[in-house]
Amino acid sequence: MRRAVVAVLGAAAVVLAGCSGTHFPEVTFYADGESVAAEPMDQYCDGMLKECEPAGERVSLKVRPGKSVQVSLPSEVTSTVWTLYAEYRDASGAVKLLPPRTFTDRDDPQQAVTVTPEKPTDQLLTVEIQQLGGVYAADQQGNPILDENGNPQLLARGVWSLKIDPA
């Protein structure tokens, strides 16, 4: 009898574990009194980009021109190298990028960052977080592709993206 109970409990644990779903780090975007939590967009990979799992989708929020977006990040992201990208439309209608900002675990680990457009008339369009992996982009000969400072371009293992709907 005791073996039967143990076998049933063991089978139930396996079934429950199979139903639990994968946990992905969530990034939360806040603007104009609203917030939205985002999973990595499309897929999330291990640090060496060898194993990837399907993940979430791009999220959206309404944001008024000139207003900021606050981003809250979990330690699973801030304990690694990550980059913040933001795109905006200026008063003339031109779409531009704010200067990208890269953070490392050697920096003061920032678990929150604010993205502010350059001028009060600018409209943020996209805010994106990219968690970088330990693999660099390479050309067809296997040579690393270098950035403007001569550093290898690391590939993203996860991307969290906010599409902004102008309010």
Side-chain angles (χ1 to χ4, degrees):
M1 173 71 169
R2 192 178 273 177
R3 286 186 196 163
V5 171
V6 171
V8 169
L9 290 176
V14 169
V15 169
L16 289 175
C19 296
S20 66
T22 304
H23 166 73
F24 298 112
E26 285 188 346
V27 169
T28 304
F29 298 96
Y30 302 92
D32 270 347
E34 300 292 325
S35 68
V36 62
E39 288 187 340
M41 188 174 67
D42 299 328
Q43 67 179 5
Y44 188 67
C45 302
D46 66 1
M48 297 306 291
L49 283 76
K50 291 185 184 245
E51 294 183 28
C52 300
E53 294 190 44
E57 298 178 358
R58 176 184 245 192
V59 297
S60 63
L61 273 178
K62 289 186 181 207
V63 180
R64 293 176 286 152
K67 296 301 178 184
S68 299
V69 171
Q70 293 82 36
V71 185
S72 177
L73 300 102
S75 61
E76 294 103 324
V77 175
T78 61
S79 64
T80 66
V81 179
W82 58 280
T83 303
L84 168 74
Y85 294 95
E87 181 181 59
Y88 69 96
R89 181 179 298 119
D90 69 13
S92 73
V95 175
K96 300 179 177 181
L97 289 174
L98 289 172
R101 294 166 46 191
T102 299
F103 302 85
T104 68
D105 60 347
R106 289 183 298 271
D107 294 336
D108 180 18
Q110 278 191 267
Q111 297 213 239
V113 63
T114 301
V115 181
T116 304
E118 291 188 350
K119 297 180 182 169
T121 54
D122 294 343
Q123 172 69 60
L124 287 174
L125 300 173
T126 304
V127 176
E128 191 169 275
I129 301 296
Q130 292 187 6
Q131 182 182 25
L132 302 178
V135 179
Y136 59 81
D139 62 21
Q140 291 184 354
Q141 290 75 36
N143 300 314
I145 297 173
L146 306 178
D147 66 14
E148 63 277 358
N149 298 320
N151 298 315
Q153 289 289 307
L154 295 175
L155 297 175
R157 63 184 278 202
V159 176
W160 294 260
S161 185
L162 171 69
K163 177 188 173 289
I164 295 170
D165 297 324

